[in-house]
């Protein structure tokens, strides 16, 4: 029982780190595109990065909704050896949910920093 809880916490940490990595990569990409498109104005680039993060997070939630609506057939990715090597307790749906939440949290923090500070 204790081992299952520890594995669940470890899976949660891994999913959140994956979300941070994806959010960081998306932020970097959108920020650089914003810099080049807006004559190297930092605020405009940050606004584009914020909008891009909201778009990526919303797209992840859209994919998550599709995964939740489809009927379960078999074990999915949880039964695969390669998936079990990385996530012992979580399936694809909780990992994608954690990633989407982290991306949207990064967008919210960026939005707060742009408009309320």
């Amino acid at each position: 029982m204790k081992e299952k809880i520890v594995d669940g916490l470890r899976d949660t940490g891994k999913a959140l780190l994956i979300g941070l990595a994806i959010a960081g990569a998306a932020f970097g990409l959108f920020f650089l595109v914003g810099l080049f498109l807006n004559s190297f104005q930092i605020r405009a680039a940050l606004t584009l990065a914020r909008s891009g993060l909201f778009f990526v997070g919303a797209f992840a939630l859209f994919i998550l909704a599709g995964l939740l609506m489809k009927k379960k057939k078999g074990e999915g990715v949880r039964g695969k050896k390669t998936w079990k090597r990385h996530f012992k307790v979580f399936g694809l749906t909780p990992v994608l949910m954690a990633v989407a939440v982290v991306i949207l949290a990064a967008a919210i923090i960026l939005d707060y920093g742009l408009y309320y500070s």
Side-chain angles (χ1 to χ4, degrees):
M1 180 70 178
K2 183 180 177 184
E3 187 174 305
K4 197 105 165 148
I5 293 171
V6 170
D7 287 341
L9 290 173
R10 190 172 291 134
D11 285 357
T12 302
K14 284 181 183 178
L16 293 177
L17 284 175
I18 290 171
L20 278 174
I22 292 172
F27 172 79
L29 176 72
F30 286 116
F31 183 75
L32 288 176
V33 168
L35 274 178
F36 292 127
L37 290 179
N38 294 309
S39 302
F40 296 97
Q41 295 177 358
I42 300 291
R43 187 160 184 88
L46 287 173
T47 303
L48 184 79
R50 180 211 51 174
S51 299
L53 284 176
F54 275 125
F55 179 77
V56 171
F59 187 68
L61 288 178
F62 183 72
I63 292 173
L64 180 65
L67 284 174
L68 291 173
M69 288 185 347
K70 84 172 195 173
K71 296 185 182 202
K72 304 284 182 187
K73 294 180 185 174
E75 292 184 37
V77 296
R78 288 183 73 186
K80 309 273 186 199
K81 288 176 89 174
T82 55
W83 185 266
K84 283 254 185 228
R85 189 179 331 138
H86 299 289
F87 296 101
K88 294 182 180 176
V89 178
F90 283 0
L92 180 62
T93 305
V95 171
L96 185 58
M97 183 171 45
V99 167
V101 165
V102 169
I103 292 170
L104 289 173
I108 290 169
I109 291 169
L110 186 56
D111 184 54
Y112 184 81
L114 279 172
Y115 293 107
Y116 299 110
S117 61

